[in-house]
Amino acid sequence: MTSLRKRLFLILVAATGAIWLSAVVWIYVGAKAEVEQVLDTRLQEAARMVSSLVGSGEVAASRAIAAVPGLSPEPASYERQLSCQVWSLDGRLVARSSGAPDARLAENASGFSDRVVEGETWRVYAVENVATGVRVMVGDRLGLRERLVADLIKGLIAPAFLIVPLLGLLIWVSLGRGLRPLNAMADQLQVRAADDMSPIAVGNVPVEVMPLARSLNALFAKVELARRHERDVTAFAAHELRTPLAGLKTQAQIAIAATDPAMKEGALRQILVSVDRTTRLVRQLLAIAKLDAHGVAPDGEQVIVGDLLDEIIAALKPSNTAIQVDVEPALHSFRVRANREILSLALRNLHENALQHMPGGGTVSWRLSLDGQGVIVEDEGPGIPDDELPLVTQRFFRGRHKTVAGTGLGLAIVAIAINRLSARFSLQNRDGRRGVSATISFEEARRAKEDALAGP
Amino acid sequence: MRILVVEDDPVLANGLKIGLGLAGATVDLAETCADARAALETTAYDAVVLDVMLPDGSGLSVLKAMRSGKDRTPVLLLTALDEVSDRIAGLDTGADDYLGKPFDLDELAARVRAVARRGTGRAEPCLSAGGIVLDPSQLAATVGGTPVNLSRREFAVLSALMERPGTIRSKSEIEDRLYGWQEEVESNAIEVHIHNLRAKVGRDAIETVRGLGYRMRPSA
């Protein structure tokens, strides 16, 4: 686990260190140039001074050297850095300062030069005085120059070693304080109960943490919704599974207790109704479990929807002869590429649903949708109250217009199956008349497949 | 004993109507919260058997409305949700008893009798007045210790009178206790039942209060 505090600390310390370091480099470069210029100027001045003193003829060369500050043999750390040699133009050493080497400091007649003499690098300025016939050379050791700059840098770095730990401590503590709102939020989350999905307070959360808090709250809301949905489904399931059992048991007890043969028979008939319904419920539960296990349906074959409908309708011949079923001929030339089993499950449940809701008879009509991309089934049942429309595809939901045989799973199965087929399902009450109109639209599924075929 | 059963499952509702009928109750059925509210407004019940999950909402909302409207009718919740927390929620909403599905019909009948009994402020299971003892659990009657055979209706008329001995019960009040919504009541049915009862439990046991109704004669 990475610690935000550690991370920020490292970044801040590294950044501060880097800035400090570049400042040091900058100062070093600048100071070095400055020092060189100043010292070069001093060399030049010293050389000219000695030259002019020698040139005036009043002072001997060695005295002239002693008269120039920096060349005199007084013990001082930087003072003695200058060395001076006075050569006659014919190459004879006329005089030299006390610290100066014996070897000639510069070869060139005049101007600046760098030269290694007796193992040391010298910076030398030479000036030629033709009138007095001498060449004055003043030089200093580069090592000394570097020491000067190094001392300057040391003076800069030394306090840094003292300040950096202090700065680090300061950064560490400040980070702790700065991250306090985050810690407070973490504490708040840590102490809450596992099933507490109430949103966390965002009142005094800093702007930077706000997105996190908002996302957390959104997540809580989503989890809570999912959990409530699950709880609802569990409650509905318990109701739908236990109620028929309670009915069965009650009726069985009546059948045992009743002395009246008609009452006994009535109870047994009720048991049959209940067993039929429970059988259907079990079948649908298995279907839904299978659909849940599937994921998106594997691509099936070309299915002629009209032919599949004919099979389903034949298998579900309504016992109620007052119900008429119409299938539009156009459906017999409507082909979709779909998993046959899943499509059949959806169509059968829709058909069953339509039949169940028309105990008084009527017409179930299957037809091609106007855009030619889907199937529409319409019944003449009581319709679905508008407030229940979004709920009827939920598992175990049974609305006000439920039927004896209904399990509350039919439309849920339809919705899941159609979703697995990547098709779209919509349900509405018919315009201006009784009944429900259900549409399965394959448009998107088909387009997706065309895109897939057209693609690389 | 007149009971309202609020249950949307037709097989179970049918079973409750017949089963509680066998136990001597007159049962009205309601399928939805709305039906239940309407029934409670028009009829006085001795007890209500209420399913929690109804097509148009929760039975608990019906219960809440009853209790906030000062309706003291005993309520037995009948539901598939029988987790402890559900039971607590039901009882705390104002239910008198709670039974999870599936249940035993005899137990349900006994619990309905119990809540109805407590609804009348009575603790003892048997009704007794002037030497007549009624045992609602067996639908059995004794007069002076001798068993007497009463029909279901006769038993119901007699228990209506004996629940509050000394109080005059009007004819329509007794009719309400005896007949459900769909049942046709003959205009002289109560008179016939009273007549038959007098023959079985003694001429003087039931007093006719002219123009008002009937009551048990206070024992001398």
Side-chain angles (χ1 to χ4, degrees):
Chain A
M1 200 179 69
T2 55
S3 149
L4 193 57
R5 191 180 187 179
K6 250 183 229 164
R7 199 181 148 91
L8 276 173
F9 176 75
L10 286 178
I11 289 172
L12 281 174
V13 166
T16 320
I19 286 171
W20 201 301
L21 220 76
S22 30
V24 166
V25 168
W26 190 2
I27 289 169
Y28 172 76
V29 171
K32 198 171 168 182
E34 197 69 27
V35 161
E36 255 158 34
Q37 206 198 328
V38 169
L39 293 182
D40 278 358
T41 311
R42 197 165 70 152
L43 283 185
Q44 223 169 353
E45 275 173 10
R48 283 207 187 108
M49 210 182 286
V50 171
S51 166
S52 67
L53 284 174
V54 171
S56 65
E58 292 160 15
V59 187
S62 55
R63 301 272 300 275
I65 289 168
V68 176
L71 297 178
S72 54
E74 285 153 32
S77 55
Y78 294 127
E79 294 301 306
R80 275 193 52 185
Q81 60 182 284
L82 291 190
S83 296
C84 181
Q85 290 176 337
V86 181
W87 295 79
S88 65
L89 284 181
D90 52 8
R92 201 165 39 83
L93 183 61
V94 177
R96 64 182 179 98
S97 64
S98 61
D102 295 332
R104 195 179 163 97
L105 278 175
E107 286 304 330
N108 53 342
S110 60
F112 286 108
S113 63
D114 289 341
R115 193 159 181 253
V116 179
V117 179
E118 293 172 4
E120 276 183 298
T121 310
W122 289 79
R123 176 86 172 153
V124 183
Y125 184 75
V127 66
E128 203 175 50
N129 194 334
V130 184
T132 50
V134 292
R135 189 179 281 132
V136 177
M137 297 174 191
V138 179
D140 58 7
R141 293 178 185 84
L142 278 185
L144 280 173
R145 287 182 170 208
E146 265 151 28
R147 221 177 77 212
L148 188 66
V149 176
D151 283 354
L152 188 74
I153 296 301
K154 260 184 223 153
L156 273 174
I157 288 181
F161 277 104
L162 199 77
I163 287 169
V164 160
L166 275 176
L167 196 67
L169 191 73
L170 210 67
I171 289 174
W172 184 252
V173 171
S174 312
L175 280 177
R177 289 184 71 90
L179 291 174
R180 202 173 278 172
L182 265 183
N183 289 335
M185 201 157 91
D187 289 346
Q188 204 187 339
L189 288 177
Q190 207 161 34
V191 295
R192 66 167 50 204
D195 59 347
D196 181 5
M197 290 294 154
S198 59
I200 51 175
V202 290
N204 49 2
V205 167
V207 196
E208 292 81 2
V209 188
M210 196 60 106
L212 181 65
R214 287 229 182 86
S215 313
L216 269 176
N217 281 345
L219 178 68
F220 283 151
K222 234 185 288 178
V223 170
E224 176 62 19
L225 197 72
R227 216 171 43 170
R228 195 175 314 148
H229 179 72
E230 198 166 309
R231 219 166 25 214
D232 282 354
V233 169
T234 317
F236 277 134
H239 183 259
E240 287 307 313
L241 294 170
R242 287 176 153 186
T243 301
L245 289 179
L248 274 174
K249 185 163 176 178
T250 307
Q251 295 288 357
Q253 282 188 291
I254 291 170
I256 292 168
T259 44
D260 176 10
M263 191 183 278
K264 206 181 274 273
E265 195 190 317
L268 290 172
R269 284 195 188 288
Q270 291 286 337
I271 290 176
L272 276 185
V273 170
S274 194
V275 168
D276 282 348
R277 202 186 121 195
T278 314
T279 310
R280 216 175 95 79
L281 176 64
V282 169
R283 199 182 68 218
Q284 296 210 317
L285 276 176
L286 291 175
I288 222 164
K290 207 161 154 190
L291 281 177
D292 277 345
H294 252 306
V296 170
D299 244 6
E301 59 219 270
Q302 286 284 348
V303 180
I304 299 167
V305 175
D307 294 358
L308 181 59
L309 271 173
D310 283 349
E311 283 173 34
I312 292 166
I313 292 163
L316 290 172
K317 261 272 173 283
S319 51
N320 185 345
T321 48
I323 294 179
Q324 203 193 327
V325 180
D326 283 348
V327 178
E328 193 183 39
L331 285 175
H332 288 284
S333 48
F334 179 53
R335 293 160 185 274
V336 286
R337 189 165 189 87
N339 183 298
R340 190 185 176 86
E341 196 187 346
I342 292 177
L343 180 60
S344 163
L345 195 62
L347 295 176
R348 193 179 64 217
N349 275 283
L350 272 178
H351 191 65
E352 261 181 317
N353 207 56
L355 294 181
Q356 276 167 17
H357 283 93
M358 295 196 298
T363 306
V364 178
S365 71
W366 288 90
R367 56 185 181 78
L368 194 62
S369 67
L370 286 177
D371 61 0
Q373 303 279 8
V375 192
I376 295 179
V377 57
E378 289 170 329
D379 65 34
E380 293 177 344
I384 299 172
D386 284 337
D387 58 317
E388 287 180 4
L389 270 174
L391 304 173
V392 287
T393 50
Q394 282 183 11
R395 290 171 194 203
F396 293 113
F397 180 85
R398 297 183 72 205
R400 298 199 272 286
H401 296 149
K402 64 193 165 23
T403 60
V404 181
T407 58
L409 285 175
L411 288 177
I413 290 177
V414 173
I416 301 170
I418 290 174
N419 180 273
R420 296 287 185 268
L421 296 173
S422 310
R424 214 155 45 82
F425 179 52
S426 65
L427 199 63
Q428 60 271 323
N429 285 304
R430 293 174 74 173
D431 263 345
R433 54 181 305 175
R434 270 161 58 88
V436 169
S437 164
T439 310
I440 307 175
S441 170
F442 294 97
E443 195 190 343
E444 282 164 34
R446 283 184 155 185
R447 201 183 308 130
K449 261 160 220 165
E450 275 161 22
D451 286 353
L453 287 179
Chain B
M1 198 164 48
R2 187 141 179 207
I3 309 287
L4 176 66
V5 169
V6 190
E7 167 61 61
D8 64 318
D9 180 84
V11 174
L12 180 57
N14 169 285
L16 289 173
K17 187 176 168 78
I18 295 172
L20 291 175
L22 283 175
T26 302
V27 177
D28 285 336
L29 291 178
E31 277 187 38
T32 59
C33 293
D35 288 355
R37 285 197 194 97
L40 286 163
E41 267 170 33
T42 54
T43 316
Y45 291 99
D46 294 293
V48 179
V49 174
L50 184 61
D51 184 12
V52 172
M53 293 181 79
L54 293 165
D56 59 342
S58 167
L60 291 179
S61 69
V62 176
L63 179 56
K64 214 173 276 174
M66 282 174 75
R67 294 311 184 222
S68 60
K70 302 278 178 257
D71 183 342
R72 300 185 53 193
T73 312
V75 171
L76 184 144
L77 284 179
L78 196 61
T79 165
L81 307 173
D82 63 349
E83 297 279 323
V84 175
S85 57
D86 296 321
R87 274 182 258 171
I88 292 172
L91 292 171
D92 282 345
T93 308
D96 298 86
D97 203 353
Y98 203 107
L99 202 54
K101 291 176 185 175
F103 49 85
D104 186 278
L105 184 57
D106 296 332
E107 183 186 353
L108 175 72
R111 283 175 184 268
V112 168
R113 273 195 299 275
V115 294
R117 186 174 72 222
R118 286 198 292 267
T120 65
R122 193 162 52 82
E124 63 279 13
C126 291
L127 292 160
S128 63
I132 306 169
V133 177
L134 293 187
D135 180 355
S137 67
Q138 306 296 320
L139 295 180
T142 57
V143 179
T146 323
V148 178
N149 215 354
L150 298 183
S151 77
R152 202 169 70 82
R153 300 271 198 222
E154 288 162 2
F155 189 93
V157 172
L158 193 54
S159 51
L161 291 172
M162 284 175 65
E163 265 166 22
R164 273 174 259 162
T167 314
I168 301 166
R169 308 296 295 253
S170 71
K171 193 178 128 183
S172 66
E173 232 181 306
I174 301 173
E175 272 175 2
D176 274 352
R177 301 261 309 208
L178 245 63
Y179 299 97
W181 293 329
Q182 292 94 354
E183 291 175 272
E184 286 289 320
V185 189
E186 299 214 2
S187 61
N188 66 342
I190 300 299
E191 281 92 336
V192 172
H193 288 313
I194 296 281
H195 176 82
N196 292 341
L197 272 172
R198 283 182 174 145
K200 289 178 181 175
V201 302
R203 292 222 63 79
D204 300 332
I206 303 164
E207 184 186 6
T208 306
V209 183
R210 237 165 246 302
L212 292 175
Y214 306 92
R215 68 174 168 191
M216 297 305 291
R217 191 182 298 277
S219 40

